[in-house]
Amino acid sequence: MYRLLLTLLGVIAMTLSAGAGLVTPAQMGTGALLLDTNEPGKFVEAPRVATDLDITVTGPIARTRVTQQFKNPTDGWIEGTYVFPLSEKAAVDSLSMVIGDRIVVGEIKERQEAKQIYEEAKAKGQKAALLDQERANVFTSQVANIGPRETVVIQIEYQEPVAQSGGLFSLRIPTVVAPRYVPDPTLTVSENGQFYTVKDSIPDRDRVTPPVLDPRGNAPVNPLTLTVRLNPGFALGEVASSFHDVIAEALPGGGKTITLARAEFADRDFELTWKPAQGAAPEIGLFSEKVDGADYALAYVMPPAASAPEKRVPRDVVFVIDNSGSMGGPSMSQAKASLLYALGRLDPADRFNVIRFDDTMDILFTDTVMANHDNVETAKKFVGRLEASGGTEMIAPLRAALRDARPDDESTLRQVVFITDGAIANEQEMFDVLSAMRGRSRVFMVGIGSAPNSYLMTRAAELGRGSYAMIGEGGQVEDRMRELFAKLENPAVTHLKATFDQASADVTPSLLPDIYQGEPALFLMKMPERKGAVTLSARIAGRDWQVSVPLADAKPGSGIAKLWARRMIDDAEVARTVGAITPEEADRRILALALEHHLVSSVSSLVAVDKTPSRQPGEKLSRADIPLNLPVGWDYDKVFGKEDNPDVLERDAKLDVTLIAMRKSPESRQANAMKTVDLPQTATPAELLMLLGALLSILALVFAFLARRARLA
């Protein structure tokens, strides 16, 4: 009897103590972000997230459903903010919030209007979800009024085109946003020293710098599950996963289902590649759908392989290598191996130079030099000494690489090869410089590491009329660099042009870019009626090439209208970058397309609101940013320095642009004191429960003492 009562009291005491929701770092057995409270030495956990990806590939289009489970481990009400990546080509059109057996469907709104709707619902105690696009490949999900110990499920859906190069089809799914280097704002002081102005090139720095857990002291967070249903529309050959072990099972009709072989966490890109069975590769693909009375079509056409030119054209190549802190670990080794491979491919008739950068920069030679044995050996030794350290200041090395001493030289091909993980937040500054200075140069991007910034790679290659390669691990260096150099050393397909029998078709990209050997020409169309033919013409190795495709031959497709709208939005963004239209006109075009096709963009967001209030008036709501894993292979100290892992509140304090610009240290402790998480005084009587728990513990000790006396008697 005494033992039963003792056990019961002990359980009650432990339960009540835990119910206060306070923990110490030593009590944490899993990775979590701990938020300061007004109880010294005690913390509450930030919400946790788990992610499931369900992907269906049908022909050239992939449709993905992302399910995020937000769990509130505390006894208070929480608003969670989660920064996550999607493909830079994703057309995001759906947001749903699942609460129990109810589903709340999101609506597309102009961004500021969506924010206002969300804030009003949050203030009223209603559950609400808001999805914003911060970059083409970085999104923020906010969920308001997650109740004590409650789980809220958010589902997002999008589609994207499948990539194709050299007969290989691929889908790359990012799962974590890598830490970004955020350049400091600049401070200008008036002549009399009494006034100053601050110019910040990244006004949304607080939106793209989520907290990152140090893997040395934290278990990984965000468990990941993934399923791909692969129906490519042709007989499948080899199917491979580049960075994860997977299980593949055959589907009726020749497709396959691919799942992860074991439990994983969101800490690196997922890449799936597949090849057609021999002889099954399509040369031309044409798909269409009708939406609201208009016909939309997607076409890809594989140009014939170009015959090698009779005389090789000498190249003038500038290699740029990133040796900043984010490249620490395997990334630096991969970058150096890539550059050494590239140096080994130079011909003695070529000229070259090497630029390395972190937050400083070195240019090996004052101008490009002949690729003779001595110069190449000097460059190899220079590369061999590089170590990862410092910030990621890309603008100065890009300017240096694009500066052309012989702008009228038509006897050489000028190429810039930029090797980096792209871990920066000021991508637009890069695009602006590239557009203004590209001249005759072609820019080729090499993305390095487990989570490279694919938005920077693809957009820079597009603006630079070049191409890009992604190297996720050391074993890929030679194959991926060989593919890239096959493009550099062979003539491109140029002067691409699509014409229609009917004059009113809207084609995107509006100006078809150069493409390289093994790449298809891919474009999307909108037309009043699908009739006649589309004719594609180009120049390949100095010869004219042309092919016509009857539009009546198109196969049924789905999601093509949204892909067309998403690509038109990209066109407006590029037109703004190159100065073809004003920023106001770009925003107007983007908003009209986004609202018509229900798409998230830089000026539109999805918002979902549950009409039934959850949090009662007077109950406090705390805000918490959900932490991310450090991408696999990254060195925490190289990225953040050897300071203690700052909590989210210190991070917020360090985002004060004026303090940064004035080079003053933020008073983080004072900021913490102002921003500590409110403990749930109303929702949970924490102090009373802790007192009751203490009393019950004392009673348990008394009963234990009495029980011992009884046994001795």
Side-chain angles (χ1 to χ4, degrees):
M1 178 64 185
Y2 280 123
R3 287 185 178 180
L4 178 62
L5 186 57
L6 181 65
T7 303
L8 181 62
L9 289 172
V11 169
I12 293 173
M14 289 175 63
T15 303
L16 290 174
S17 296
L22 300 178
V23 296
T24 65
Q27 292 174 315
M28 298 306 300
T30 61
L33 179 69
L34 300 183
L35 306 177
D36 273 351
T37 69
N38 46 20
E39 291 289 326
K42 298 293 181 67
F43 302 83
V44 293
E45 283 185 69
R48 295 180 180 180
V49 65
T51 303
D52 177 72
L53 299 168
D54 191 294
I55 305 157
T56 299
V57 177
T58 307
I61 297 176
R63 175 81 178 176
T64 301
R65 183 178 63 211
V66 183
T67 301
Q68 299 168 340
Q69 291 189 45
F70 293 91
K71 181 180 180 181
N72 176 6
T74 77
D75 291 323
W77 291 84
I78 287 286
E79 175 194 21
T81 299
Y82 176 48
V83 180
F84 63 100
L86 295 177
S87 164
E88 70 280 1
K89 298 176 182 175
V92 183
D93 60 12
S94 174
L95 168 71
S96 299
M97 181 168 58
V98 183
I99 309 162
D101 57 356
R102 291 182 296 121
I103 299 176
V104 182
V105 177
E107 296 182 61
I108 192 75
K109 298 287 182 184
E110 188 273 333
R111 183 164 176 148
Q112 291 304 318
E113 182 184 359
K115 179 71 172 174
Q116 184 177 350
I117 292 171
Y118 174 82
E119 292 295 340
E120 290 176 355
K122 183 174 76 173
K124 293 177 182 175
Q126 298 167 306
K127 282 186 172 53
L130 177 67
L131 180 66
D132 289 322
Q133 176 187 308
E134 312 299 346
R135 299 288 186 275
N137 62 342
V138 177
F139 291 75
T140 299
S141 181
Q142 285 181 268
V143 185
N145 293 313
I146 310 174
R149 310 288 172 180
E150 189 178 33
T151 296
V152 174
V153 175
I154 302 297
Q155 287 192 332
I156 298 159
E157 296 191 33
Y158 67 90
Q159 54 240 309
E160 63 179 313
V162 168
Q164 182 182 354
S165 180
L168 187 71
F169 295 76
S170 64
L171 194 62
R172 193 177 180 107
I173 308 292
T175 71
V176 65
V177 176
R180 304 292 178 94
Y181 178 75
V182 182
D184 288 349
T186 56
L187 181 76
T188 303
V189 181
S190 63
E191 291 184 359
N192 59 13
Q194 295 184 354
F195 304 99
Y196 65 85
T197 57
V198 176
K199 181 181 179 182
D200 188 6
S201 61
I202 311 173
D204 63 344
R205 60 183 59 224
D206 60 322
R207 307 278 296 179
V208 294
T209 52
V212 177
L213 294 175
D214 185 346
R216 295 168 300 187
N218 299 278
V221 294
N222 196 357
L224 176 73
T225 53
L226 181 148
T227 302
V228 181
R229 295 174 180 82
L230 185 57
N231 299 291
F234 49 75
L236 272 172
E238 181 186 5
V239 177
S241 167
S242 303
F243 314 124
H244 296 77
D245 293 334
V246 297
I247 298 172
E249 297 179 353
L251 284 172
K256 288 191 176 182
T257 298
I258 294 94
T259 54
L260 296 176
R262 57 175 175 271
E264 299 280 359
F265 291 91
D267 59 5
R268 77 198 77 173
D269 289 1
F270 174 83
E271 184 182 68
L272 189 72
T273 62
W274 59 96
K275 293 179 179 177
Q278 191 169 10
E283 297 289 328
I284 296 174
L286 184 63
F287 301 84
S288 71
E289 72 170 347
K290 185 179 284 289
V291 176
D292 295 334
D295 276 316
Y296 296 84
L298 177 152
Y300 64 86
V301 179
M302 184 63 71
S307 56
E310 295 180 0
K311 184 179 179 181
R312 185 181 183 279
V313 179
R315 296 184 295 135
D316 198 358
V317 192
V318 180
F319 299 103
V320 184
I321 183 168
D322 177 354
N323 70 280
S324 63
S326 65
M327 298 286 288
S331 294
M332 196 69 245
S333 300
Q334 293 161 20
K336 291 164 71 171
S338 301
L339 182 45
L340 291 173
Y341 178 88
L343 290 169
R345 292 288 296 256
L346 290 171
D347 187 90
D350 295 334
R351 297 174 62 88
F352 80 103
N353 204 348
V354 179
I355 299 172
R356 71 97 216 148
F357 73 93
D358 42 52
D359 51 4
T360 63
M361 177 179 72
D362 285 318
I363 304 176
L364 181 57
F365 305 109
T366 54
D367 190 6
T368 53
V369 296
M370 298 306 297
N372 57 40
H373 178 270
D374 289 347
N375 287 336
V376 171
E377 288 302 308
T378 298
K380 288 182 177 178
K381 291 176 182 176
F382 175 78
V383 174
R385 292 193 294 269
L386 295 179
E387 294 184 1
S389 179
T392 315
E393 296 282 0
M394 285 191 180
I395 302 301
L398 179 63
R399 287 182 182 278
L402 293 174
R403 201 166 291 124
D404 187 357
R406 292 168 288 279
D408 300 322
D409 181 4
E410 297 182 353
S411 63
T412 59
L413 295 174
R414 192 171 200 280
Q415 299 170 336
V416 173
V417 180
F418 210 106
I419 303 171
T420 178
D421 58 12
I424 60 168
N426 58 329
E427 294 99 330
Q428 189 58 48
E429 278 191 289
M430 286 282 288
F431 303 149
D432 291 343
V433 171
L434 192 48
S435 299
M437 296 185 62
R438 65 184 177 185
R440 66 183 178 120
S441 300
R442 298 293 190 268
V443 177
F444 297 82
M445 304 295 292
V446 181
I448 296 290
S450 57
N453 182 352
S454 55
Y455 168 51
L456 178 72
M457 305 300 160
T458 54
R459 181 62 60 84
E462 179 180 346
L463 291 171
R465 295 167 297 182
S467 188
Y468 66 92
M470 297 289 197
I471 297 173
E473 59 181 26
Q476 292 184 325
V477 169
E478 186 167 343
D479 286 345
R480 297 287 168 93
M481 290 300 288
R482 185 188 301 118
E483 292 171 11
L484 182 67
F485 272 79
K487 296 174 182 176
L488 266 73
E489 296 164 3
N490 286 282
V493 178
T494 61
H495 302 85
L496 265 173
K497 189 176 179 182
T499 55
F500 292 80
D501 292 346
Q502 53 180 308
S504 55
D506 286 330
V507 183
T508 179
S510 55
L511 186 61
L512 295 177
D514 294 350
I515 58 173
Y516 291 84
Q517 192 176 58
E519 293 181 347
L522 190 149
F523 51 99
L524 295 126
M525 304 154 268
K526 177 186 178 183
M527 60 207 102
E529 187 178 1
R530 184 164 52 87
K531 63 180 183 181
V534 55
T535 299
L536 196 67
S537 59
R539 295 277 294 172
I540 304 174
R543 297 183 176 87
D544 291 331
W545 169 78
Q546 180 174 297
V547 64
S548 290
V549 183
L551 291 169
D553 291 348
K555 300 175 184 176
S558 63
I560 296 172
K562 292 184 185 298
L563 283 182
W564 174 86
R566 179 67 176 81
R567 181 63 231 195
M568 291 291 283
I569 288 173
D570 286 347
D571 284 353
E573 298 279 9
V574 171
R576 170 173 28 206
T577 297
V578 300
I581 58 176
T582 64
E584 293 76 19
E585 174 62 16
D587 285 348
R588 189 190 64 76
R589 291 187 190 181
I590 293 168
L591 183 59
L593 286 162
L595 295 181
E596 180 183 353
H597 292 272
H598 209 263
L599 295 177
V600 176
S601 70
S602 58
V603 294
S604 61
S605 302
L606 278 165
V607 60
V609 175
D610 183 18
K611 302 301 181 187
T612 306
S614 299
R615 183 171 53 87
Q616 298 303 309
E619 293 179 318
K620 293 180 179 177
L621 177 70
S622 297
R623 182 190 71 84
D625 290 359
I626 297 173
L628 306 183
N629 296 311
L630 189 70
V632 166
W634 283 48
D635 185 323
Y636 190 89
D637 284 344
K638 293 284 187 183
V639 179
F640 297 103
K642 293 187 177 180
E643 60 184 24
D644 292 337
N645 186 7
D647 66 23
V648 64
L649 303 173
E650 289 181 278
R651 186 179 61 83
D652 282 354
K654 290 181 177 179
L655 291 173
D656 186 313
V657 294
T658 303
L659 290 177
I660 297 170
M662 297 175 71
R663 301 291 191 272
K664 289 185 177 180
S665 299
E667 297 295 330
S668 58
R669 290 191 178 279
Q670 182 180 351
N672 275 347
M674 296 171 61
K675 297 183 178 181
T676 51
V677 173
D678 293 318
L679 292 175
Q681 302 295 328
T682 304
T684 307
E687 294 178 357
L688 177 61
L689 290 177
M690 286 189 287
L691 178 60
L692 183 56
L695 289 173
L696 288 173
S697 296
I698 294 172
L699 281 174
L701 291 174
V702 171
F703 278 114
F705 175 74
L706 293 175
R708 180 180 173 82
R709 286 193 58 180
R711 285 199 302 273
L712 292 176

